[in-house]
Amino acid sequence: MDRTLHRREWLTLAAASTAALIARPAWAVVAAQAETPLQSFTGPGANPFWNSVGPYVTYPQKSPLLRLTDRPIQLETPRAYFRSAITPNEAFYVRYHLPDIPNAIDLKTWRLELTGNFKRPLQLSFDQLLREFRSVDIAAVNQCSGNSRSYFQPRVPGGQWGNGAMGNAMWTGVRLRDVLARAGIEKGTVQIQFEGLDHGPGPEGKGSHRFIKSWDIHEPILDEAIIAYAMNGEPLPMLNGFPVRLVMPGKFATYWTKHLTHIRALTTPDTNFWMYPAYQIPDTPNGSTTPEELKAGKVKLVPIGHVNMPVRSFIIDPDDSAPVVQGLPTVIRGIAFSGMGGIRKVEVSTDGGQTWKAAKLGRDLGRYSFREFELAWKPELTGLQTLAVRATDTGGHVQPDSGVWNPGGYLWNKIERQQVLVLGA
Ligand SMILES: Nc1nc2c(c(=O)[nH]1)N[C@H]1C(S)=C(S)[C@@H](COP(=O)(O)O)O[C@H]1N2
Ligand SMILES: [Mo]
C-alpha cells in the first residue's frame, strides 16, 4: 500500500457496503498497537518459535496479528487461535503480493466480470450472485504455500512464516461451475484465469503488477471451487478478499484469489510471472529436492497447483509458555488437516517420537477442514519432555520425520515437536 488504511476510508467502506462489515472499531486500537521486541534467533533446529517473530500489529477488522511485512501486508495468526477448528475471521492470517490493496468497495457498482472466450460474457452484481445461484457451504483450510518456510534448512528467501499462515473457515458462496455455465465456455478455451482488485509493483522487471492465476479447464478443482461471499457466516473481512474470493478446497491458498473481479476464458496458456517462475515446485515425490540438484539444472518444476496440500498436524496445548506438573492430568490438544483426504488418525508421542498413542478426534467438519484432536496425559517424568504429533489422512499419507527442501520454501509438513517442562509434584 502506498498509504495506510485511514479511518475515513473504512467508514466509507462501511457505509458503501450493504453488509454490516465492521463488528468493532478496529481503528481504535491502531494507535495503541503494541510492538513487541524481536527475538534474536529465528532459525531451525530446536526451534522454540511456533510463530514468526514479527511484532503484533492491529489492522482494521483484525485482532492483533504478527506482522511479517507491511507493503505488501502479510500478517500471521498467533498459535492460540488454533485451539478450535474454526479460525475466527478477525484472527485469520493475511497475505498479499502487491502493495495497492482495496480498502473501500461499493457493492452497488462492483461487478464480477466474465470476459474472453465465453459465449455470453457476463457482468454479475453482488446481488445476482446472492439471489440467482444456489448457495453452498464448505469448511476448508486456507494455507499459504510458504507456511512454515522459516524452518527450511538451508534457509530460502521469501516471507519467513512460522506455522500461522493458515486458517480454517466455513465458506459460503456459489459454485464456480454454475457461474462459468451461465457464461458458457466457448470451444477453443484452454484455461480459466482469475484476478482480484489489488495491484501495484511486484518484483521488479517481471511484469508482475497484477496478481493473476490460471487453471487448465479440465482441472477437477474447477468443479469443487466456490466463489465465497461469506466466511464463518459473516461478510469476508476486507483483508481476506471482500466482497468475494475463490475457495479451492485442498489446494494451496495462492489460488484462492481475493477480491475476485475478473474471470477470463483464455485460448492460450497463461505465462504471467505468478504462474511461472513464481509458485513452482520440483516435480519429485513430496516436491523435495536439494540445492545441489537444483544448481545442476536437474530439477523439473511444475506449478504448485499440480498437488494438494500434504497432511499436517500441530500441538497447540501445551505450548512452552508454562510448565506442567508431574502426575497431574493434562490434555494435549491440537488440529490436523490434509488436502488429500480427511484425517483418519492422529498419534501423539510424549517421549520424543519413540512410542505413539492414538488421540481422540474431534467433530468431523468435512474432509478439507481442520480436525481437532486431544489426548489425556499424566506426565511421569520430570524435566524437559518432548511431545510430537503425527497425522495420517484417509489416503494413507503419513507425516514424515524429515523436512522437505525446495527453493520456494513450500510444502513443509514435517512431524511437529514441542518441548514441555514437567515440574516435580
Ligand atoms: N487478490 C489476491 N488474492 C490472493 C493473493 C493476492 O496477493 N491477491 N495472495 C494469495 C496467497 S499466496 C495467499 S497465501 C492467500 C492468503 O489469503 P488470506 O490473506 O485471506 O489469508 O491469498 C491468495 N489470494
Ligand atoms: Mo501464499
Side-chain angles (χ1 to χ4, degrees):
M1 278 204 324
D2 56 8
R3 51 195 186 140
T4 47
L5 302 169
H6 293 297
R7 172 189 170 144
R8 181 172 38 80
E9 289 166 328
W10 284 92
L11 288 171
T12 313
L13 157 70
S17 315
T18 52
L21 258 179
I22 293 174
R24 104 164 67 105
W27 50 77
V29 271
V30 171
Q33 67 182 224
E35 301 228 350
T36 52
L38 285 184
Q39 279 139 344
S40 59
F41 176 68
T42 65
N47 190 345
F49 301 116
W50 197 95
N51 277 119
S52 62
V53 295
Y56 280 100
V57 295
T58 309
Y59 276 79
Q61 301 178 290
K62 291 287 172 185
S63 310
L65 300 177
L66 295 156
R67 187 182 68 202
L68 260 73
T69 60
D70 64 355
R71 275 162 283 184
I73 298 177
Q74 299 191 80
L75 309 171
E76 182 171 329
T77 302
R79 183 179 192 174
Y81 286 106
F82 299 104
R83 282 198 183 115
S84 62
I86 295 288
T87 315
N89 290 3
E90 67 270 19
F92 214 93
Y93 84 104
V94 175
R95 199 278 191 250
Y96 280 98
H97 295 73
L98 307 173
D100 300 337
I101 62 173
N103 51 22
I105 292 168
D106 183 350
L107 288 185
K108 289 195 199 74
T109 54
W110 176 85
R111 295 289 181 274
L112 175 60
E113 298 187 344
L114 284 86
T115 56
N117 203 35
F118 286 113
K119 295 190 178 108
R120 301 169 289 276
L122 291 178
Q123 292 219 329
L124 295 170
S125 68
F126 190 74
D127 202 52
Q128 278 179 292
L129 279 178
L130 247 57
R131 286 167 205 272
E132 297 178 10
F133 296 86
R134 198 162 65 87
S135 93
V136 287
D137 296 311
I138 186 168
V141 174
N142 162 325
Q143 181 186 215
C144 180
S145 322
N147 193 26
S148 314
R149 182 183 283 128
S150 63
Y151 311 123
F152 268 63
Q153 188 68 282
R155 303 297 291 273
V156 292
Q160 297 301 303
W161 296 109
N163 289 325
M166 60 176 185
N168 183 48
M170 184 62 76
W171 308 94
T172 307
V174 305
R175 285 201 186 286
L176 172 65
R177 266 293 169 219
D178 292 349
V179 172
L180 293 177
R182 170 90 60 107
I185 296 174
E186 191 67 272
K187 262 209 213 86
T189 303
V190 296
Q191 287 189 338
I192 305 292
Q193 184 182 68
F194 304 95
E195 185 180 348
L197 288 172
D198 41 333
H199 57 272
E204 211 164 328
K206 311 275 193 199
S208 53
H209 59 293
R210 293 152 62 209
F211 185 74
I212 311 174
K213 304 297 274 196
S214 301
W215 286 99
D216 289 348
I217 53 163
H218 301 300
E219 287 283 354
I221 187 65
L222 295 180
D223 293 323
E224 284 204 65
I226 283 165
I227 300 173
Y229 47 70
M231 179 174 171
N232 295 329
E234 291 176 1
L236 274 58
M238 182 58 76
L239 291 168
N240 297 109
F242 182 87
V244 301
R245 83 173 304 164
L246 275 181
V247 168
M248 302 223 142
K251 296 292 179 187
F252 279 104
T254 186
Y255 289 97
W256 297 38
T257 308
K258 301 196 277 188
H259 319 288
L260 175 67
T261 302
H262 305 282
I263 300 179
R264 301 185 189 93
L266 306 181
T267 52
T268 52
D270 189 348
T271 55
N272 96 82
F273 173 80
W274 299 111
M275 292 301 295
Y276 184 85
Y279 289 105
Q280 298 264 318
I281 55 167
D283 192 14
T284 58
N286 307 322
S288 201
T289 182
T290 62
E292 293 71 35
E293 280 180 336
L294 190 73
K295 238 182 243 152
K298 286 191 195 147
V299 185
K300 185 187 164 211
L301 298 172
V302 294
I304 197 167
H306 283 208
V307 299
N308 281 19
M309 297 186 289
V311 60
R312 298 196 72 175
S313 59
F314 300 89
I315 294 167
I316 305 304
D317 278 323
D319 58 14
D320 46 15
S321 63
V324 297
V325 180
Q326 183 185 33
L328 217 63
T330 304
V331 181
I332 301 168
R333 290 174 213 281
I335 47 146
F337 73 99
S338 169
M340 305 193 200
I343 291 299
R344 175 190 294 167
K345 153 171 100 170
V346 175
E347 297 160 293
V348 173
S349 171
T350 55
D351 56 12
Q354 292 172 50
T355 61
W356 298 87
K357 278 197 198 98
K360 196 173 121 213
L361 297 183
R363 200 152 63 96
D364 186 359
L365 299 175
R367 61 179 294 199
Y368 295 112
S369 170
F370 281 159
R371 186 90 187 251
E372 294 173 17
F373 69 84
E374 63 173 59
L375 180 79
W377 178 42
K378 212 184 270 181
E380 284 164 20
L381 304 174
T382 57
L384 270 184
Q385 305 300 327
T386 301
L387 310 180
V389 64
R390 164 175 93 181
T392 305
D393 67 21
T394 56
H397 309 99
V398 192
Q399 287 181 260
D401 207 3
S402 56
V404 293
W405 192 89
N406 54 62
Y410 303 139
L411 300 164
W412 188 261
N413 77 328
K414 183 183 164 170
I415 290 175
E416 296 284 327
R417 287 183 159 71
Q418 174 65 57
Q419 288 205 321
V420 185
L421 180 61
V422 182
L423 298 180

